[in-house]
Amino acid sequence: MDPERYDPQQVEPKWTAAWEERALYRADENDTERARFYALDMFPYPSGDLHMGHLEAFAGGDVIARLKRMQGYNVLHPIGWDAFGLPAENAAISRGIHPKTWTRQNIDTQRATFQRLGISFDWSRTFNTCDPDYYRWTQWIFLRLYERGLAYRKASPVNWCPHDQTVLANEQVINGHCERCGHLVEKRELTQWFFRITEYAQALLDDMAELEDRWSDKVLTMQRNWIGRSVGAYVDFIISETGQTVRIFTTRPDTLYGATFFVLAPEHQLAEQLVAGTEHEAAFRRFRDTVDRETEVERLSTERDKTGVFLGAYAINPVNGERIPVWAADYVLLEYGTGAIMAVPAHDQRDFEFARNYGLPVRIVVQPEGEPPLDPGQMTEAMGHEGVMVNSGPYDGIPAGEAIRRVTADLAAQGRGEFAINYRLRDWLVSRQRYWGCPIPIIHCPSCGEVPVPDDALPVPLPDDVADFRPKGESPLATVSDWVNVACPRCGTPARRETDTMDTFVDSSWYFLRYTGLDPERPFDPDRVARWMPVHQYTGGIEHAILHLLYSRFFVKFLHDLGLVGFREPFRALLNQGMVVMHGAAMSKSRGNLVEPATIIDEHGADVARLTMLFAGPFEDDVDWADVSPEGMARWIHRVWRAVRGAADSGAGHGGASDPALVRHAHRATQAVSDDLERFRFNTAVAKLMTLSNDLADAVRSGRGSATEQRDTAERLVLMLAPLAPFVTEELWHALGHTESVHLAAWPGYDPELVRVERLTCVVQVDGKVRDRIEVTADAGEDDLRALALASPKVKAALADRPIARVITVPPKLVNLVTAR
Ligand code: ANZ
Ligand code: ZN
């Protein structure tokens, strides 16, 4: 090989094969000495080849895994595929290829690209969620949920995508549209399977305390808002005409005396009952038809007029016996609280707008203190909640906050209400009327009803032979008669299998547990899980901030309650990469701005692909590929190559006199790069390595530094670059005379004496007069000095608030603040 030229296309495949052969990245199950580190990357969905988002996420995740390995940890860094899902089925429909074939092909393609990229996965424990060996256990977990009443079936209005012909979870509806195909989502009444995640709403909130500072505030806030806890009360009203009790949920029981009307969600069963056979029936029907065509977002929009109809009935207010009219209105949702509200237009903006639209009365019950009495006729919007009670019988004069407690307690004492906590979180709708998913292990028997498939009959296999993958509102599985028709496991009479499959988010809610060992007898081995988990570092996209992360947290809490895992939170720390865009826009085939990792590897090699991505900016920020230069990175790799080779040769006597500056630089860089990588600042780590490599190249060229010093600097450079660019560093490590892999070498330490930053005294003057002497580091710049000078109490006193006209700095010795005169 030409020692002057580094050829990645020749070097990279060689090392890929060597690492594979040595099983270099296999986690060691038997090692009891080293501490364990579980570095997990969100597993990919196999559609096509890996894209740039994958390159970014996995390059970052790999740096973490490799760094930890070099730091002496026994690292588990697994990979698999989230292999069920709609696109496979759509490919089957449009191209006539079986979803299984399509999926396997994509997995093979992605696996090959992972290997070319040199991601240090432990390939011995890989799996796909569509493997029967995996989904058997997804079904097993389903049955455990079912046994505890946490998986159940009910008829409910669901989000229905008319294009994909399937139901969608609330989380999969984005602004009223299907997350996958963008079509407008409709509401349909269907019998569906749900997981009772709401049972864990409070636990999901409480346990977030463990995640503070280890997950980004952004993700934690998104989860908190999604769970949406509200504290208030249930209050029972009585329908005057029928005597029925109707419960409402309010966060403001203090405003009960201000309720001037009562509103039911249009879908509320009582609304239907109240109008049945009355003069109000026709108008109500028309109203419901329009509401059914509106999305939830439209209904809740503050921009739109709120609409409704009077139902011809009255509700009796439990605090004062007042009869108030009952309406149905679009802004009240069936799924939140109890689907019924008391309307307090004076203090609730939505009620206020509705009252103005329909000429309903507005009554003030909370009066801001020290202000002229509010006049309902003059109000242009509802009034907030600070103030004292008025028009509220025995509660008059009490501060509103206290009235909330008093009213709630009094209602509870009379059996007309109770303290209540409500969550916005809904139960998780898990059934899908699609083929390519995990079959739900339930059999419907005409005499026994729902019968769970016995554990020893798992997995319920997904049949291969399906005549038609096209969705018809029912799962394509319903057409596979020899699969559907089975004997009831309980009574033996002919019965039918459940034909719905599970949401793919079920598959990905526990995969991280299975990586600890592919146990043939169980979903996972609890002892192994105890040794490896919780995951030390999880890396993946912010798009999973709610769904996947919430569902996984829920599953782990459930498994904890079953006694199968000893922790309640699966992911100790979370790192979210930004998006990769091109000229500010998302990359896509249709835009013609798609760059693929495989192309960059073809052109420049894997190291360059990885480094270019990691150097592009802070990991958590978006990366614009238009701004980066793989060519520039390729040139740098060549320079590193030449510098390190030069230093390797200087062992033969090319070194010069000792150079303490070179040594100091090498040690300081070691400290700084270690620190950067520990905090995922991959881009600044690369920048520091670039500076170090320049210094080394210069030293080699000019004979600066002894042969040993040059060599030590070169070794540090190679070791620190190894997690980022595994191939060229492996080649160079061997060129430096090592016979073992650089990836098994120890992360370099540094001499604390050498990294200590020298401190100097800097004189601070105000208008030329010395006012203070401050201690600064030798490398302090003008901005640092100015900030330090301005922070000095003595300087502040001397300035006495006079404005500063000019600042003269002579780093690191002098700052002179010149005031305006
Ligand atoms: C009376 C009231 C007076 C209310 C007031 C607010 C202010 P959050 O905080 O989001 O939980 N509400 C209850 N159920 C509803 C439903 N199904 N659809 C639409 N709105 C509903 O909001 C709770 C408040 O939202 C409840 O408190 C109720 O209005 C309304 F000055 O009751 B409130
Ligand atoms: Zn039966």
Side-chain angles (χ1 to χ4, degrees):
M1 192 200 298
D2 176 0
E4 287 305 307
R5 271 205 57 78
Y6 174 66
D7 180 5
Q9 307 306 349
Q10 196 188 341
V11 168
E12 292 184 353
K14 176 182 82 182
W15 290 120
T16 304
W19 298 334
E20 179 73 31
E21 199 193 332
R22 287 224 32 208
L24 205 64
Y25 306 120
R26 208 165 273 184
D28 190 342
E29 285 302 332
N30 304 317
D31 186 340
T32 50
E33 298 281 303
R34 286 179 300 164
R36 293 177 189 234
F37 192 95
Y38 187 172
L40 178 67
D41 305 320
M42 288 183 186
F43 65 167
Y45 181 74
S47 78
D49 199 353
L50 297 182
H51 54 64
M52 296 302 271
H54 290 130
L55 172 59
E56 187 183 23
F58 289 102
D62 198 39
V63 172
I64 297 167
R66 288 179 178 276
L67 172 70
K68 291 295 154 186
R69 227 176 263 119
M70 292 177 80
Q71 288 176 339
Y73 289 91
N74 182 9
V75 171
L76 171 57
H77 189 211
I79 189 69
W81 275 270
D82 192 9
F84 275 134
L86 263 182
E89 219 167 305
N90 290 340
I93 295 161
S94 64
R95 292 189 246 158
I97 175 172
H98 195 282
K100 194 189 231 172
T101 316
W102 184 88
T103 304
R104 303 246 170 234
Q105 281 171 0
N106 288 332
I107 289 173
D108 289 345
T109 305
Q110 293 193 350
R111 181 191 288 113
T113 306
F114 274 139
Q115 276 163 339
R116 291 183 69 200
L117 271 173
I119 310 290
S120 64
F121 288 134
D122 177 347
W123 288 100
S124 70
R125 42 183 98 216
T126 188
F127 58 79
N128 312 315
T129 56
C130 66
D131 298 341
D133 284 349
Y134 182 84
Y135 70 68
R136 167 183 185 175
W137 302 114
T138 306
Q139 293 170 343
W140 185 90
I141 295 172
F142 180 100
L143 292 174
R144 301 293 83 77
L145 286 160
Y146 183 78
E147 284 162 3
R148 282 156 188 79
L150 296 171
Y152 67 95
R153 219 157 66 113
K154 75 161 189 218
S156 74
V158 295
N159 304 302
W160 173 262
C161 173
H163 177 259
D164 288 331
Q165 292 271 308
T166 190
V167 299
L168 301 167
N170 286 338
E171 294 87 338
Q172 289 164 322
V173 181
I174 311 297
N175 291 327
H177 294 263
C178 171
E179 173 192 67
R180 298 221 170 253
C181 73
H183 276 73
L184 200 63
V185 170
E186 297 169 358
K187 288 276 175 195
R188 277 210 183 175
E189 180 92 5
L190 286 175
T191 299
Q192 298 288 337
W193 286 95
F194 292 85
F195 285 165
R196 211 179 292 281
I197 188 173
T198 51
E199 184 105 352
Y200 285 86
Q202 193 57 48
L204 286 163
L205 279 177
D206 291 344
D207 292 346
M208 261 186 248
E210 278 183 43
L211 309 175
E212 290 302 337
D213 300 329
R214 297 153 166 271
W215 287 33
S216 72
D217 284 344
K218 188 172 164 191
V219 173
L220 291 176
T221 303
M222 284 167 85
Q223 293 230 344
R224 229 171 252 125
N225 291 344
W226 189 260
I227 298 166
R229 182 181 196 262
S230 280
V231 177
Y234 290 128
V235 183
D236 294 332
F237 281 65
I238 289 169
I239 301 296
S240 152
E241 285 72 12
T242 64
Q244 284 161 293
T245 299
V246 202
R247 193 148 249 227
I248 59 125
F249 171 67
T250 177
T251 47
R252 298 291 309 279
D254 55 321
T255 62
L256 259 163
Y257 284 82
T260 54
F261 55 103
F262 190 96
V263 188
L264 295 171
E267 303 89 343
H268 200 291
Q269 282 201 337
L270 183 63
E272 194 86 31
Q273 283 173 30
L274 291 178
V275 294
T278 74
E279 55 180 303
H280 300 281
E281 188 163 8
F284 174 71
R285 278 280 115 71
R286 280 195 302 278
F287 174 64
R288 261 220 68 170
D289 283 348
T290 40
V291 171
D292 281 351
R293 272 179 264 116
E294 290 170 6
T295 65
E296 191 161 305
V297 180
E298 287 169 331
R299 285 174 59 173
L300 292 177
S301 165
T302 47
E303 322 284 74
R304 290 170 73 255
D305 264 2
K306 285 148 193 61
T307 56
V309 286
F310 175 51
L311 300 178
Y314 291 82
I316 301 172
N317 187 334
V319 290
N320 55 9
E322 192 176 354
R323 287 172 83 242
I324 55 178
V326 180
W327 287 65
D330 56 358
Y331 72 100
V332 175
L333 302 177
L334 182 68
E335 298 271 286
Y336 189 67
T338 62
I341 68 160
M342 62 161 175
V344 184
H347 304 289
D348 180 290
Q349 185 59 25
R350 292 162 299 180
D351 298 342
F352 182 82
E353 290 168 23
F354 191 82
R356 284 291 193 253
N357 270 354
Y358 292 94
L360 292 158
V362 175
R363 187 190 303 149
I364 310 286
V365 288
V366 181
Q367 166 67 40
E369 267 179 300
E371 283 179 31
L374 286 167
D375 172 4
Q378 298 303 308
M379 283 167 72
T380 52
E381 58 179 13
M383 211 285 290
H385 47 259
E386 297 294 316
V388 295
M389 305 307 301
V390 292
N391 299 325
S392 294
Y395 304 100
D396 281 356
I398 298 175
E402 197 194 325
I404 292 183
R405 282 185 294 278
R406 294 261 296 262
V407 172
T408 309
D410 293 348
L411 285 168
Q414 296 157 16
R416 292 173 178 186
E418 60 185 309
F419 174 82
I421 297 173
N422 244 280
Y423 301 89
R424 212 177 76 86
L425 183 68
R426 301 270 70 89
D427 277 345
W428 173 13
L429 197 167
V430 296
S431 48
R432 297 290 179 274
Q433 291 69 50
R434 302 297 302 225
Y435 165 72
W436 191 237
C438 175
I440 291 176
I442 295 286
I443 290 167
H444 299 285
C445 167
S447 34
C448 312
E450 274 167 18
V451 181
V453 172
D455 282 359
D456 59 12
L458 297 182
V460 174
L462 185 67
D464 284 336
D465 292 330
V466 176
D468 187 358
F469 292 110
R470 265 172 309 181
K472 292 165 267 328
E474 191 183 29
S475 167
L477 286 175
T479 64
V480 190
S481 54
D482 58 347
W483 180 86
V484 170
N485 297 304
V486 287
C488 168
R490 206 166 281 162
C491 72
T493 56
R496 275 175 70 84
R497 287 194 190 281
E498 170 64 59
T499 58
D500 285 355
T501 54
M502 291 185 224
D503 179 6
T504 53
F505 278 110
V506 181
D507 308 327
S508 54
S509 291
W510 71 279
Y511 76 108
F512 42 88
L513 292 155
R514 181 120 181 119
Y515 280 145
T516 60
L518 302 178
D519 198 306
E521 306 296 332
R522 291 169 290 189
F524 50 85
D525 173 347
D527 292 336
R528 282 186 173 217
V529 164
R531 285 200 288 271
W532 287 112
M533 287 195 67
V535 168
H536 296 82
Q537 183 63 53
Y538 197 19
T539 307
I542 189 87
E543 68 274 17
H544 292 298
I546 301 176
L547 307 179
H548 162 61
L549 291 168
L550 196 69
Y551 296 154
S552 301
R553 296 181 60 222
F554 159 55
F555 261 45
V556 161
K557 288 178 201 313
F558 170 65
L559 294 168
H560 174 265
D561 290 351
L562 285 190
L564 291 178
V565 304
F567 44 87
R568 296 203 309 265
E569 285 295 334
F571 314 122
R572 210 172 294 199
L574 175 70
L575 174 65
N576 303 111
Q577 81 275 6
M579 277 206 334
V580 187
V581 297
M582 189 66 142
H583 295 291
M587 282 190 186
S588 78
K589 268 211 186 77
S590 54
R591 280 205 186 84
N593 64 359
L594 194 71
V595 183
E596 284 184 315
T599 319
I600 302 166
I601 306 175
D602 289 344
E603 266 178 56
H604 303 287
D607 284 339
V608 168
R610 296 167 58 122
L611 282 169
T612 307
M613 187 58 93
L614 294 171
F615 186 53
F619 190 69
E620 289 166 277
D621 293 359
D622 289 353
V623 167
D624 199 324
W625 199 252
D627 300 340
V628 306
S629 167
E631 292 75 19
M633 197 52 83
R635 283 193 296 275
W636 179 53
I637 291 285
H638 282 284
R639 287 202 298 278
V640 169
W641 170 259
R642 276 196 301 274
V644 173
R645 300 287 301 224
D649 290 346
S650 64
H654 298 288
S658 169
D659 178 18
L662 179 67
V663 176
R664 213 160 36 234
H665 187 179
H667 281 253
R668 283 191 186 154
T670 307
Q671 182 192 37
V673 171
S674 304
D675 194 49
D676 278 351
L677 293 186
E678 203 65 58
R679 292 160 204 249
F680 318 122
R681 292 189 302 232
F682 309 125
N683 59 328
T684 57
V686 173
K688 283 163 193 155
L689 292 172
M690 285 175 167
T691 314
L692 184 64
S693 78
N694 285 344
D695 201 6
L696 174 66
D698 179 74
V700 169
R701 222 175 9 250
S702 58
R704 194 155 51 75
S706 70
T708 325
E709 288 164 0
Q710 287 183 10
R711 194 189 157 80
D712 179 70
T713 305
E715 295 213 334
R716 286 174 183 278
L717 177 62
V718 170
L719 287 167
M720 289 191 282
L721 188 54
L724 300 128
F727 294 101
V728 68
T729 50
E730 186 75 309
E731 188 72 11
L732 285 171
W733 192 242
H734 285 76
L736 283 163
H738 298 277
T739 50
E740 190 50 285
S741 171
V742 69
H743 304 299
L744 298 179
W747 187 253
Y750 52 84
D751 180 344
E753 270 306 304
L754 289 173
V755 302
R756 221 187 43 215
V757 188
E758 215 185 329
R759 296 187 79 84
L760 302 168
T761 301
C762 172
V763 172
V764 186
Q765 302 174 334
V766 175
D767 294 328
K769 262 203 200 98
V770 176
R771 296 295 186 176
D772 200 3
R773 288 188 164 76
I774 55 179
E775 215 179 79
V776 299
T777 57
D779 59 354
E782 295 200 1
D783 292 343
D784 304 324
L785 292 183
R786 184 197 162 106
L788 286 168
L790 288 172
S792 152
K794 287 185 192 158
V795 171
K796 275 190 195 153
L799 281 172
D801 287 335
R802 278 175 299 157
I804 296 164
R806 257 176 333 130
V807 181
I808 301 159
T809 45
V810 186
K813 295 205 170 101
L814 174 83
V815 182
N816 184 11
L817 306 168
V818 184
T819 62
R821 284 169 216 247

